[in-house]
Amino acid sequence: MPGTYDLDRQGLAELLDGEPGFRAAQVWEGLYRRGERPAEMTTLPLALRDRLEEELGAQLDEAHRRTADDGATIKWLFSLAGGAQIETVLMAYRDRVTVCVSTQAGCAMNCQFCATGQAGFTRQLSTGEILEQVMVARRAAEPRRLSNVVFMGMGEPLYNLENVMSAVDAMADGDGLSVSKRRITVSTSGVVPQIERLGAECGPMLAISLHAVRDELRDELVPLNKKYPIKELLQACRGYPGASNARRITFEYVMLKGANDSPAEARELVRLLKGVPAKINLIPFNPWPGAPYECSDWETIERFSDIVFNAGYASPVRTPRGRDILAACGQLKSETEKLRARARLAAG
Ligand code: SAH
Ligand code: SF4
């Protein structure tokens, strides 16, 4: 059975076959514009409300919810049908309200610095499971309006491309959430052939998890690099439909002490990105129990950032939000038993 947010307009129309023609649009707006559950759609006949509540059930079961000390970051742990768990984070800033969504339970990419990667892949999320994260966060953000969505939770979005694109299209729908595609960012570890499809068929903003400037090191940090090396990745970025100086591609670079944080690497980064409309986002590494890396020293990050800045890039160092609740990137679900067990092993 589909979940509340699994059906597109066409699917809703089919489900409501036999009802008056305006119903599908009415339900769509109830779901996405007003953020109602079917049971709350008081403009629908009671019998229909009951039927929809039954046939379009919720798919996320809140297993845990924590608010960070800053009060503006909320992290959820949701259980899905079948038992897998995912995380979603809401971040309220002064000028925007951003939700960070997961696209897979776990991740198969096995990046060495990422807690999710170390825990392995469980399963794909459906379109509805991706959208429900946004709808739950939207509700929690009220009275503020959700303004941005980032696909930076668990999973490699481009290995769940169809569902990710349907979810982006639903978020951008003008009769619903109306989050412009310029405010929706899909982050990928570099699935080259899917980058072009994402751009051509859907067109959200793109973020690339680069993290290294040499293939030898990137092969280690982001093993997908062995399949799609840096040169091919940057070629795909140069061709990303819609990329321009007004719509730059974000390059994420996690700062790992002694591994990728030298001034020479900063200069090489600048050289590599020549000709790509780029923004650079330096991310202090968020440690997790048993992690094989440490975060670079603050002075090292500043030196790196200065080189990038002097080359003409604004290089904001991403401030870790919600560190106290392990909600910062890559820490998603790092409190699981498995990782605790790994930490115990590492501690010897
Ligand atoms: N899987 C996708 C999107 C999710 S991760 C991707 O890799 O792009 C969002 C960003 O956080 C990525 O750049 C990822 O590499 C980074 N990240 C993962 N673990 C991290 C950690 N422990 N500390 C800092 N950044 C991390
Ligand atoms: Fe997967 Fe992204 Fe983590 Fe790599 S960094 S393992 S792609 S979630």
Side-chain angles (χ1 to χ4, degrees):
M1 230 193 312
T4 319
Y5 308 100
D6 268 321
L7 301 179
D8 59 9
R9 282 168 175 280
Q10 172 78 28
L12 263 186
E14 281 161 23
L15 184 76
L16 293 165
D17 191 32
E19 290 284 329
F22 59 83
R23 281 281 185 246
Q26 194 182 14
V27 171
W28 181 271
E29 289 190 16
L31 286 176
Y32 295 104
R33 191 198 284 275
R34 289 187 293 282
E36 296 167 345
R37 304 257 348 137
E40 296 166 335
M41 296 180 189
T42 49
T43 51
L44 298 182
L46 191 56
L48 181 58
R49 254 183 265 168
D50 289 346
R51 192 193 131 202
L52 290 180
E53 189 63 33
E54 180 119 329
E55 290 184 17
L56 298 177
Q59 293 174 298
L60 304 185
D61 184 16
E62 181 176 299
H64 199 71
R65 171 186 169 136
R66 253 192 276 170
T67 304
D69 295 340
D70 63 17
T73 306
I74 303 176
K75 180 187 80 168
W76 288 266
L77 181 65
F78 292 114
S79 300
L80 310 175
Q85 294 187 315
I86 54 158
E87 298 208 2
T88 306
V89 186
L90 174 71
M91 293 156 285
Y93 301 88
R94 201 149 26 107
D95 60 336
R96 64 192 192 279
V97 178
T98 302
V99 59
C100 172
V101 298
S102 296
T103 55
Q104 300 178 321
C107 184
M109 298 298 98
N110 199 27
C111 300
Q112 291 306 298
F113 55 88
C114 172
T116 303
Q118 294 311 294
F121 175 78
T122 307
R123 74 163 168 87
Q124 302 285 14
L125 301 197
S126 71
T127 303
E129 287 167 332
I130 296 169
L131 284 168
E132 195 169 324
Q133 298 172 62
V134 175
M135 300 312 297
V136 170
R138 176 200 136 117
R139 207 171 255 241
E142 275 172 0
R144 294 194 64 189
R145 220 180 102 96
L146 199 68
S147 59
N148 295 63
V149 180
V150 296
F151 285 75
M152 295 186 182
M154 294 168 93
E156 170 44 63
L158 298 197
Y159 278 132
N160 191 8
L161 185 61
E162 298 297 331
N163 292 345
V164 164
M165 292 197 295
S166 313
V168 170
D169 285 335
M171 291 168 201
D173 189 296
D175 296 324
L177 280 164
S178 285
V179 179
S180 144
K181 286 183 183 176
R182 303 185 60 144
R183 292 177 169 273
I184 301 176
T185 302
V186 174
S187 174
T188 178
S189 56
V191 190
V192 165
Q194 305 287 55
I195 289 176
E196 192 195 341
R197 277 197 63 203
L198 178 74
E201 295 176 31
C202 186
M205 302 298 281
L206 181 66
I208 302 287
S209 293
L210 190 62
H211 307 320
V213 292
R214 284 176 294 114
D215 281 324
E216 200 191 0
L217 178 61
R218 194 164 190 271
D219 283 351
E220 222 175 273
L221 298 177
V222 183
L224 185 66
N225 193 67
K226 291 181 207 144
K227 204 161 170 191
Y228 305 116
I230 295 174
K231 199 164 164 229
E232 286 177 33
L233 178 56
L234 293 178
Q235 208 46 48
C237 290
R238 287 192 182 87
Y240 188 68
S244 66
N245 281 336
R247 299 192 62 168
R248 290 170 192 266
I249 297 171
T250 300
F251 287 85
E252 298 163 282
Y253 196 97
V254 62
M255 299 299 296
L256 303 171
K257 189 182 213 157
N260 67 354
D261 60 356
S262 71
E265 282 161 310
R267 287 190 291 271
E268 179 61 14
L269 177 62
V270 168
R271 203 191 58 79
L272 269 182
L273 294 183
K274 219 168 243 159
V276 184
K279 280 191 288 203
I280 297 171
N281 203 335
L282 302 179
I283 315 174
F285 172 64
N286 291 304
W288 37 273
Y293 295 97
E294 284 176 66
C295 184
S296 308
D297 304 323
W298 191 248
E299 308 81 74
T300 309
I301 296 179
E302 274 190 334
R303 195 166 5 126
F304 199 100
S305 159
D306 283 347
I307 294 171
V308 168
F309 179 81
N310 289 332
Y313 293 95
S315 57
V317 177
R318 188 189 285 169
T319 39
R321 289 304 286 285
R323 262 206 170 159
D324 57 318
I325 57 169
L326 286 170
C329 333
Q331 293 184 308
L332 302 184
K333 215 166 164 289
S334 67
E335 301 139 288
T336 56
E337 258 319 305
K338 197 164 178 181
L339 287 161
R340 259 184 259 140
R342 177 190 277 263
R344 277 197 296 274
L345 276 179

